[in-house]
Amino acid sequence: MLSPLRRALITGALVLILAACSTAPAATPTPAPTPIPTTEPEPAATSPTDAPSAAQDLAPKRRSVWDTQISPGETLGNCAGGAILPVYGLVQIMPTEEGLEWKNQEPVPYAMARLAPNTYRFAGPSSINDGVVTMTVTFVDEKSLVMLREFTPNADPGCIHRHEYTGEFKWFR
């Protein structure tokens, strides 16, 4: 069961998605320098002009690792098959020029476009091309996120598998 705050955040993200109704082309990842793991927080503001504003994006500013958990999920529509359990657990999030890259245990990372401060979205084929996936992530604060994932399998196009994620920051890479 989701708390009212998380449910409100997810609902807000969905409203933004419906308002935007656009996708961004997938970005080609650029090789990064050798990572050095750390759990140090982002540097604090050093002057009034550096202080965060109300519209500050809470997404990580450098490559980081997050631990995600999923809800039991639900199926919507006319579903011929059983429930599909999506990938969860450790996820690497890396900022890009267009938004961020979401790299889980699937073979290809997802390029998420920035919809609004703290909200990013991917909509398109799954990384193994077995259906269409929409993932909308919202950063609640610098250490937590929520995400709504909807998957429609190619083999069962009248069915949507919906899962709500929560995530907790673990370390920078």
Side-chain angles (χ1 to χ4, degrees):
M1 193 90 200
L2 290 176
S3 72
L5 172 63
R6 290 199 190 268
R7 188 165 300 279
L9 287 169
I10 291 171
T11 301
L14 289 174
V15 168
L16 290 171
I17 291 168
L18 292 174
C21 289
S22 67
T23 59
T28 305
T30 317
T34 306
I36 302 171
T38 178
T39 57
E40 293 298 313
E42 293 289 332
T46 56
S47 73
T49 57
D50 293 339
S53 68
Q56 177 186 14
D57 200 334
L58 300 170
K61 308 297 185 269
R62 57 187 172 143
R63 188 170 25 180
S64 57
V65 176
W66 297 69
D67 188 14
T68 61
Q69 303 298 319
I70 59 171
S71 67
E74 63 181 325
T75 54
L76 306 168
N78 187 10
C79 301
I84 296 175
L85 180 66
V87 173
Y88 65 96
L90 294 179
V91 172
Q92 177 178 281
I93 297 175
M94 186 167 66
T96 65
E97 285 186 26
E98 296 81 24
L100 61 84
E101 180 181 86
W102 179 276
K103 184 176 181 181
N104 55 20
Q105 293 91 359
E106 293 182 65
V108 179
Y110 292 99
M112 295 183 149
R114 184 176 188 263
L115 296 180
N118 309 312
T119 304
Y120 296 80
R121 176 179 180 249
F122 171 84
S126 70
S127 70
I128 58 173
N129 205 25
D130 61 344
V132 176
V133 66
T134 301
M135 300 184 303
T136 304
V137 64
T138 301
F139 292 89
V140 179
D141 56 42
E142 293 176 344
K143 301 282 184 180
S144 61
L145 62 83
V146 293
M147 183 173 80
L148 179 64
R149 181 185 191 272
E150 293 184 333
F151 174 69
T152 303
N154 292 335
D156 197 2
C159 183
I160 298 173
H161 298 266
R162 178 182 289 166
H163 287 86
E164 296 171 347
Y165 283 68
T166 57
E168 178 184 345
F169 170 80
K170 290 298 177 185
W171 64 83
F172 289 110
R173 270 194 70 149

